[in-house]
Amino acid sequence: MNAQSLEQYLSEHADDPRRVDEILLTAPTFTEEMVLRLIAETLGLEFLDEIDASTVPEAFIEAIPAPYAQHHYLIGLQRGEGEEITVAVANPLNTLIVDNVSRKLRRPVRLAVSSRAAITAVIDTAYEQKNTVIEEVAEELDSQNLDQLVDEVATSDDLLDVVNRPPVIRLVNDILFRALQMRASDIHIHPYETKIQVRYRIDGILYDTLTLNRNVLSLVISRIKVMAGMDIAERRMPQDGRTSVRIGQREIDLRVSTVPTSFGERAVLRILDKSTGVLSLEELGLWKQDKEAFDRMINRSHGVIFVTGPTGSGKSTTLYACLNRINAVEKNVMTVEDPIEYQLEGISQMQVASKKGMTFVNSLRHILRQDPDVIMVGEVRDRETAAMAIQSSLTGHLVFSTLHTNDSAGAISRLLDFGVEPYLVSSSLVCVLAQRLVRRICPDCKEAYTPAPHELRDLGLREEDGAVTFYTGRGCGKCFDTGYRGRTGIYELMGINDDIREMIYRRETAGAIKKKTLEYGMQTLRMDGARKVREGITTIAEVLRVTQSDSM
């Protein structure tokens, strides 16, 4: 936020009767945090990025009801030995609220500023609201007023808006809000015979986080279906839907899938946070030499580039980073995806609709009539799509796509198995990038440790490599006691040279091709993982978990 943009926005809204903070907080050009930091700085108040729930005093919880704290976005903190209580607010210009809190506490109050999301998170923990909301939902079960759920859903629900909402809506909002707080990528709502287990996938690993009463299943699933525009009366068939929710000014997309099981419907929600944006090539975690080589390859005028790996290994993220790197002003870039995960500026994106006959093949056929320079095909699943992608590259287009194979050499075998002619594969393929995701060691609880000799051997390191300092995560509050926070990629980049083309043409095995590429200096997934272990980025256990042995 610069002074010029601020002045311009305020001058445009000079006739607005609202307070200046209310005007700025509804501005699409400024985030809530930017506005609150500016107000805090102007008033000489402290801005709190995070609030520790353990610092909320018992006196505040007893004196201030939870709905009041939620409605006005405020929480009390005991800082120091004196009588004074610090009250963090998301609306610092409303002094009447702070006066009321001071009167109810019968103590002097010092003001601090924090975001609505940070304050709501602490209120949930400090007041232990989770259990009371679940009990209220259980009581509400008798009425099962599903019409009210339909009326309550908005086009883009704000998860922070919990005041005066029915308990089931507050419960589902709470489940979503906690998932976003914990950086979860998926939410699983799994019914059992006697309970409902809510599980979050964080950094690729599923964790049990919440257990609900079995009786509330129909209400929770119905609420999720209403949000995603699905049929709440249909409980015997799988359904898919999508919706979006907000946290303040953060827009979150949710892809929802429900399937019937023996104990009731099970739901999985995939979270796509638009505010995180698309990663750049530098942020993917490619080793310097690999990044430079890959950068040269994605700037070719024609050819096919495959990114391979199992589901959830970050292939789409890599493809988006590649497209982002390519200059969309000078080139016509088009994609066909299933589904479109992120909107990219300056790029035309098409979504597959198989029921209407818009398959990858048909979409690709139509795209070729649009004079593209660069094409991204979400996934090659069959011979037709593979052949069409390769033919497109031979007619002067650069094509990006993904395959489900274990390593880079396996992509060549897969294409040949599809029935694509070897001469087409050898003449069109530029490179294959195999990848996996490994969890990063949490920087807040990172500590040195000595690995066992067998761990070094399994990773392909020698005994003398034991002299290198290895790290692990002890586990702390910031990483939910896992020792890991965030993820990075490990990669295997196989460039196609004349010798490899000759081997493809002769239909040699994936093992023979891999052996040849190693002679040219290719680093396997496990070798790249070992480099990142030695750099203190991840652990030996993580690399061994996601990679196969290199022995052939």
Side-chain angles (χ1 to χ4, degrees):
M1 182 190 290
N2 57 49
Q4 190 179 351
S5 61
L6 182 64
E7 186 181 355
Q8 184 184 341
Y9 190 81
L10 290 174
S11 64
E12 287 170 2
H13 294 78
D15 298 331
D16 197 317
R18 294 176 298 166
R19 285 198 321 264
V20 66
D21 62 324
E22 292 173 337
I23 296 169
L24 292 175
L25 285 167
T26 53
T29 46
F30 310 126
T31 65
E32 181 189 33
E33 189 178 327
M34 286 162 66
V35 174
L36 290 176
R37 279 187 185 278
L38 176 68
I39 293 171
E41 192 178 330
T42 306
L43 298 175
L45 300 175
E46 184 183 4
F47 183 86
L48 305 173
D49 288 300
E50 293 179 345
I51 303 170
D52 185 356
S54 64
T55 62
V56 180
E58 196 68 39
F60 183 89
I61 293 170
E62 289 171 3
I64 310 297
Y68 187 87
Q70 283 178 326
H71 186 65
H72 295 293
Y73 297 107
L74 56 89
I75 193 71
L77 313 168
Q78 187 71 58
R79 307 172 90 188
E81 297 296 322
E83 282 284 298
E84 189 178 65
I85 283 183
T86 300
V87 176
V89 294
N91 192 355
L93 298 186
N94 193 341
T95 53
L96 184 64
I97 298 166
V98 183
D99 291 341
N100 286 343
V101 171
S102 181
R103 196 162 50 251
K104 285 184 178 182
L105 289 171
R106 295 177 183 171
R107 291 193 195 184
V109 162
R110 176 195 290 271
L111 210 56
V113 182
S114 191
S115 67
R116 293 193 302 159
I119 291 169
T120 304
V122 181
I123 291 170
D124 277 358
T125 309
Y127 284 88
E128 295 181 340
Q129 244 205 326
K130 185 170 62 176
N131 295 332
T132 58
V133 172
I134 293 164
E135 286 162 17
E136 287 176 44
V137 177
E139 289 169 17
E140 191 189 57
L141 185 67
D142 297 334
S143 60
Q144 277 213 10
N145 190 356
L146 297 180
D147 293 336
Q148 188 183 20
L149 296 187
V150 178
D151 293 338
E152 286 287 340
V153 74
T155 51
S156 187
D157 223 5
D158 192 338
L159 299 184
L160 301 176
D161 183 13
V162 293
V163 182
N164 300 325
R165 288 300 191 91
V168 67
I169 292 177
R170 302 216 311 270
L171 173 61
V172 173
N173 282 10
D174 188 57
I175 289 169
L176 291 170
F177 181 66
R178 285 170 189 275
L180 292 165
Q181 268 187 298
M182 297 174 79
R183 302 174 291 99
S185 60
D186 301 84
I187 304 168
H188 292 235
I189 296 171
H190 193 164
Y192 291 94
E193 190 173 5
T194 57
K195 64 178 182 180
I196 306 165
Q197 191 67 56
V198 179
R199 311 170 83 195
Y200 294 157
R201 188 178 293 281
I202 303 165
D203 294 335
I205 307 293
L206 272 173
Y207 297 96
D208 290 347
T209 52
L210 181 62
T211 303
L212 303 178
N213 189 311
R214 178 78 178 76
N215 297 336
V216 304
L217 179 67
S218 60
L219 276 175
V220 170
I221 297 293
S222 294
R223 168 61 183 165
I224 290 168
K225 283 183 173 181
V226 167
M227 288 175 73
M230 294 152 75
D231 183 358
I232 59 173
E234 178 56 77
R235 297 181 178 181
R236 295 171 299 172
M237 295 290 288
Q239 291 189 65
D240 293 306
R242 61 189 308 153
T243 184
S244 62
V245 294
R246 285 182 297 114
I247 290 193
Q249 291 181 331
R250 267 173 77 196
E251 191 81 17
I252 315 291
D253 274 353
L254 299 174
R255 289 215 309 267
V256 182
S257 168
T258 62
V259 294
T261 70
S262 53
F263 297 120
E265 283 186 287
R266 174 191 171 131
V268 174
L269 294 81
R270 164 64 60 88
I271 298 170
L272 299 168
D273 189 348
K274 288 181 181 177
S275 65
T276 56
V278 177
L279 294 181
S280 67
L281 214 57
E282 285 75 21
E283 294 172 303
L284 293 178
L286 279 158
W287 209 252
K288 187 172 181 287
Q289 294 91 326
D290 286 346
K291 187 187 81 63
E292 288 168 358
F294 192 53
D295 208 358
R296 287 194 299 272
M297 290 167 184
I298 66 172
N299 282 296
R300 295 268 190 100
S301 60
H302 59 90
V304 182
I305 293 171
F306 279 110
V307 179
T308 77
T311 304
S313 60
K315 299 187 297 295
S316 298
T317 303
T318 300
L319 287 182
Y320 279 127
C322 294
L323 295 183
N324 223 22
R325 184 62 152 232
I326 292 165
N327 190 341
V329 176
E330 296 172 1
K331 293 181 179 177
N332 178 17
V333 183
M334 301 192 71
T335 76
V336 50
E337 304 170 55
D338 183 21
I340 296 168
E341 292 188 17
Y342 292 100
Q343 296 290 343
L344 294 172
E345 196 174 339
I347 290 173
S348 301
Q349 294 170 267
M350 290 173 62
Q351 180 146 329
V352 168
S354 299
K355 289 178 184 174
K356 297 176 182 175
M358 278 291 284
T359 60
F360 276 118
V361 176
N362 287 341
S363 302
L364 197 46
R365 209 168 273 134
H366 290 293
I367 278 178
L368 288 170
R369 296 176 193 145
Q370 294 281 318
D371 184 31
D373 297 297
V374 179
I375 303 168
M376 191 262 268
V377 183
E379 187 185 337
V380 168
R381 298 173 179 169
D382 51 42
R383 182 195 172 281
E384 272 190 296
T385 315
M388 182 69 88
I390 285 170
Q391 289 287 359
S392 305
S393 75
L394 293 173
T395 53
H397 305 94
L398 182 64
V399 181
F400 291 91
S401 193
T402 68
L403 275 171
H404 288 281
T405 62
N406 287 328
D407 59 7
S408 52
I412 294 164
S413 300
R414 180 62 51 85
L415 291 169
L416 297 177
D417 289 345
F418 279 150
V420 182
E421 292 297 331
Y423 72 90
L424 289 175
V425 177
S426 64
S427 57
S428 63
L429 204 57
V430 174
C431 70
V432 181
L433 182 74
Q435 67 178 78
R436 299 288 187 279
L437 290 176
V438 290
R439 293 180 290 172
R440 285 176 173 272
I441 300 169
C442 173
D444 291 289
C445 59
K446 187 175 180 177
E447 61 181 18
Y449 90 113
T450 305
H454 70 85
E455 288 182 296
L456 293 172
R457 280 198 305 274
D458 289 345
L459 197 59
L461 298 174
R462 300 181 303 276
E463 293 290 332
E464 52 266 32
D465 286 318
V468 176
T469 306
F470 291 88
Y471 293 92
T472 187
R474 187 178 61 255
C476 64
K478 290 196 174 177
C479 62
F480 314 111
D481 292 318
T482 61
Y484 299 100
R485 197 160 94 224
R487 287 190 288 179
T488 190
I490 56 173
Y491 300 92
E492 178 179 297
L493 179 63
M494 183 177 77
I496 308 298
N497 59 24
D498 290 339
D499 285 349
I500 305 300
R501 284 194 182 90
E502 184 64 33
M503 293 179 81
I504 296 169
Y505 189 72
R506 294 199 306 266
R507 288 182 178 269
E508 298 215 15
T509 64
I513 291 171
K514 186 171 184 177
K515 203 168 185 180
K516 192 70 175 175
T517 56
L518 288 171
E519 290 175 20
Y520 284 110
M522 182 187 82
Q523 296 287 302
T524 65
L525 287 164
R526 187 160 281 195
M527 288 173 185
D528 191 39
R531 286 193 293 204
K532 282 168 181 148
V533 167
R534 293 166 78 165
E535 287 291 311
I537 295 168
T538 188
T539 63
I540 293 176
E542 266 299 284
V543 175
L544 295 179
R545 180 176 69 85
V546 301
T547 61
Q548 295 177 324
S549 171
D550 288 331
S551 55
M552 289 186 280

